[in-house]
Amino acid sequence: MIEVENVHKSFGDTEVLTGVDLEIEDCNLFAIIGHSGSGKSVLLRHLVGLLRPDRGTVRVGDADLAGLSDDELEAVRRRFGMLFQGGALFDSMTVYDNVALPLRLLTDQSDAEIEERVMTELERVEIAGAADQMPASLSGGQVKRASLARAIIREPKYLFYDEPSSGLDPRTSSVIDDLIQRLSQTLCRMGIMVTHDMHSVLSIADKVGFLYEGTMRFVGPVEELRRCDDPVLCEFMEANAYQL
Amino acid sequence: MLHTLRANSVALFRHIGAFLLLMAEAARGPIYDVATYRQNLARQMRQIGVESLPIVAVAAAFTGGVTTEQTIYQMRYPLIPESTIGAIVVPSVILEFGALITAFILAGRVSARIAAELGSMRIGGQIEALDVMGVSAAGYLVLPRVLAGLLTFPLLYVVASTVGSAAGLGIAAASGDVTTTQFLAGARSFFTGFMAVYGLVKATVFGFLITAIPCYVGFNADGGARGVGRSATRAAVGACVFVLVADYLLALLML
């Protein structure tokens, strides 16, 4: 379980998070939605320990991320996998080497074992044929898939997705959605997704949190979101209705 | 004015503190996989050392040649023995120019590249990706680059000093003002083992600055493509300035 309690974060004079409370349960796919600049990515970076809150706590399992030493934080993060908005693949490595990197650095597995694992994950995300290609020669969708394969290669307990469908056409976006849903269901991982894409949210998320003016204005199951009666949330939904 | 000075001083100390923390983190960073680190180190040593060799040799040759010409020009007095030219040129190359010219070339060639590379990784999310994997990004990215600098710079310095001195000798002989024997006799009479030790210590310090400063600058890059360009410039300029400061401090402490 991930628990966020009264998290505050400012950058200079700009208050981005002003008391966020949130609980995310295991085996759930949780979507964080909100307007541009509402602090979704900032919140996600707190959940993975890339940012420390000015006030409040972020607990992942038993660990309070803000109170951990660098070594302890690294140990907790080894249970994380993250799909970055731009993929964040290393340009100087092939897709295969990018996906193999966490296994090479963090496990004692032999080259043969690593190859088997990498090819399994590349097949799972349907880009096994691009294993020898460099990231620069991949399409946007392929980059996301390769990044997803790298994120899940060590079978992390927690999977984070930062705008998984941004920059993708609707068809590729829906393929990525299917992959995320399959991972959530088949591997029973906790998934936390930051997105603008209401189509993705309504089709694959279990629960949704609407971040507005630094706090969680709505947290609930997707069905409840569909029946929204909060004018601000309704306005946000209507503004993104073109995606539905 | 006073306010600006104070703000700049605070910023400088903050940068120095953050730089030292990054270096400590890089040194602490566990070696997760020896084979991967060996490959990274070999790649960095090739880029910093082998690929810089031709330009360092050319620059050293011209520096040695010009130093010799200027020394001959200034020593054209009947009472000064010709061997003085070798006694000035060779120690100048070994004590100063060999390391300094190499440092300036590497600041443009290596420091800018490292800062741009790490800056792109910061902006492209690769550094965050390593952090989220539970891998020390400083240990994985900074350590091999700084180690490569520490190992290859002294070798480049030896090449630069040798080529610079040889070029000085060649120019002196070609000038007809001094014979090879006189030049070598002068060089030998003033050369001590300490000069080589001093030069190597200096080269090691410069090797650290030339790689560690751009690692810090690149690691803290922001602002997209413009930020990457800015960090490359800052790294090259910063490395040159700190090399000059270190050059003076080492002369003060060791000579």
Side-chain angles (χ1 to χ4, degrees):
Chain A
M1 178 181 263
I2 291 183
E3 290 171 276
V4 177
E5 206 179 305
N6 194 30
V7 163
H8 290 249
K9 185 71 181 178
S10 300
F11 296 99
D13 295 333
T14 312
E15 281 189 307
V16 180
L17 303 179
T18 54
V20 174
D21 293 294
L22 192 59
E23 273 187 17
I24 307 171
E25 291 148 19
D26 292 343
C27 294
N28 250 251
L29 185 55
F30 189 94
I32 300 170
I33 57 172
H35 297 286
S36 293
S38 60
K40 303 186 294 293
S41 293
V42 171
L43 178 58
L44 192 70
R45 275 159 175 70
H46 278 86
L47 300 183
V48 293
L50 288 172
L51 289 174
R52 295 191 184 221
D54 297 337
R55 195 144 46 99
T57 54
V58 177
R59 300 185 70 81
V60 175
D62 296 332
D64 174 4
L65 296 189
L68 299 179
S69 67
D70 288 347
D71 286 339
E72 289 166 336
L73 188 58
E74 271 174 23
V76 171
R77 279 176 176 159
R78 286 177 197 162
R79 292 184 274 158
F80 294 170
M82 185 161 172
L83 171 63
F84 284 85
Q85 195 171 345
L89 297 175
F90 286 91
D91 302 340
S92 56
M93 295 180 194
T94 62
V95 168
Y96 179 92
D97 287 333
N98 265 288
V99 178
L101 187 68
L103 295 180
R104 285 186 179 142
L105 294 181
L106 300 171
T107 71
D108 295 330
Q109 292 182 23
S110 66
D111 286 349
E113 287 169 322
I114 289 175
E115 187 179 346
E116 195 187 329
R117 285 282 300 120
V118 171
M119 292 318 291
T120 303
E121 295 310 336
L122 287 177
E123 274 159 24
R124 194 199 297 270
V125 298
E126 299 164 14
I127 52 158
D132 294 330
Q133 289 188 36
M134 301 302 278
S137 63
L138 302 180
S139 68
Q142 284 177 315
V143 167
K144 296 263 180 182
R145 289 176 199 217
S147 182
L148 198 51
R150 186 180 64 184
I152 60 177
I153 191 81
R154 294 190 64 240
E155 301 184 342
K157 187 170 179 191
Y158 307 95
L159 275 163
F160 301 88
Y161 310 96
D162 191 2
E163 302 278 8
S165 52
S166 74
L168 301 180
D169 63 80
R171 199 188 147 275
T172 315
S173 170
S174 134
V175 171
I176 297 288
D177 284 350
D178 287 346
L179 276 171
I180 292 172
Q181 193 174 33
R182 255 192 288 154
L183 286 170
S184 178
Q185 285 168 354
T186 57
L187 298 178
C188 186
R189 305 289 177 236
M190 179 193 290
I192 296 134
M193 172 170 76
V194 157
T195 186
H196 275 107
D197 188 341
M198 288 310 296
H199 176 75
S200 293
V201 173
L202 295 176
S203 33
I204 63 172
D206 298 309
K207 282 180 91 174
V208 181
F210 176 53
L211 193 60
Y212 182 75
E213 293 188 347
T215 58
M216 277 294 169
R217 191 170 174 111
F218 167 87
V219 178
V222 172
E223 299 73 43
E224 221 174 283
L225 183 75
R226 290 180 199 273
R227 301 189 297 265
C228 80
D229 51 6
D230 176 351
V232 177
L233 180 55
C234 290
E235 190 194 332
F236 176 80
M237 298 272 288
E238 278 162 24
N240 291 283
Y242 67 93
Q243 292 169 339
L244 305 177
Chain B
M1 171 84 175
L2 200 65
H3 177 74
T4 312
L5 189 68
R6 197 173 58 189
N8 286 341
S9 306
V10 169
L12 177 69
F13 281 109
R14 194 177 293 139
H15 280 302
I16 290 171
F19 171 78
L20 293 175
L21 282 175
L22 179 69
M23 291 305 119
E25 200 188 327
R28 175 195 71 88
I31 306 287
Y32 302 101
D33 172 56
V34 175
T36 307
Y37 273 77
R38 208 186 297 130
Q39 272 175 18
N40 280 355
L41 182 62
R43 189 170 57 239
Q44 293 302 325
M45 285 179 74
R46 193 186 65 238
Q47 288 178 344
I48 296 171
V50 179
E51 291 176 12
S52 301
L53 206 56
I55 183 69
V56 166
V58 168
F62 276 94
T63 307
V66 170
T67 309
T68 305
E69 282 295 349
Q70 289 184 354
T71 310
I72 291 171
Y73 172 74
Q74 290 174 62
M75 297 291 151
R76 276 197 183 127
Y77 297 101
L79 294 177
I80 298 175
E82 281 77 10
S83 61
T84 310
I85 294 163
I88 290 174
V89 171
V90 174
S92 299
V93 169
I94 291 172
L95 285 172
E96 186 64 14
F97 296 133
L100 202 63
I101 292 294
T102 307
F104 283 166
I105 287 170
L106 262 58
R109 229 196 135 263
V110 173
S111 302
R113 177 185 60 77
I114 290 177
E117 224 171 59
L118 295 187
S120 302
M121 286 187 198
R122 166 63 73 197
I123 285 153
Q126 288 91 340
I127 291 178
E128 283 191 343
L130 285 171
D131 284 334
V132 175
M133 275 179 215
V135 172
S136 161
Y140 181 69
L141 297 171
V142 174
L143 189 62
R145 285 170 171 79
V146 175
L147 270 181
L150 288 171
L151 293 171
T152 52
F153 199 108
L155 298 175
L156 286 172
Y157 159 73
V158 170
V159 171
S161 297
T162 309
V163 171
S165 300
L169 173 68
I171 295 293
S175 72
D177 292 318
V178 56
T179 65
T180 307
T181 315
Q182 286 169 330
F183 185 94
L184 288 175
R188 262 192 228 109
S189 65
F190 274 80
F191 180 79
T192 61
F194 173 76
M195 284 184 188
V197 172
Y198 174 73
L200 286 170
V201 168
K202 203 152 122 166
T204 310
V205 172
F206 289 179
F208 173 75
L209 294 172
I210 289 294
T211 46
I213 289 171
C215 283
Y216 171 72
V217 174
F219 232 70
N220 292 288
D222 58 10
R226 211 169 159 191
V228 174
R230 203 170 41 225
S231 52
T233 311
R234 272 188 193 157
V237 173
C240 285
V241 169
F242 278 95
V243 157
L244 288 170
V245 172
D247 193 24
Y248 174 71
L249 290 177
L250 284 170
L252 203 67
L253 290 170
M254 291 183 72
L255 293 181

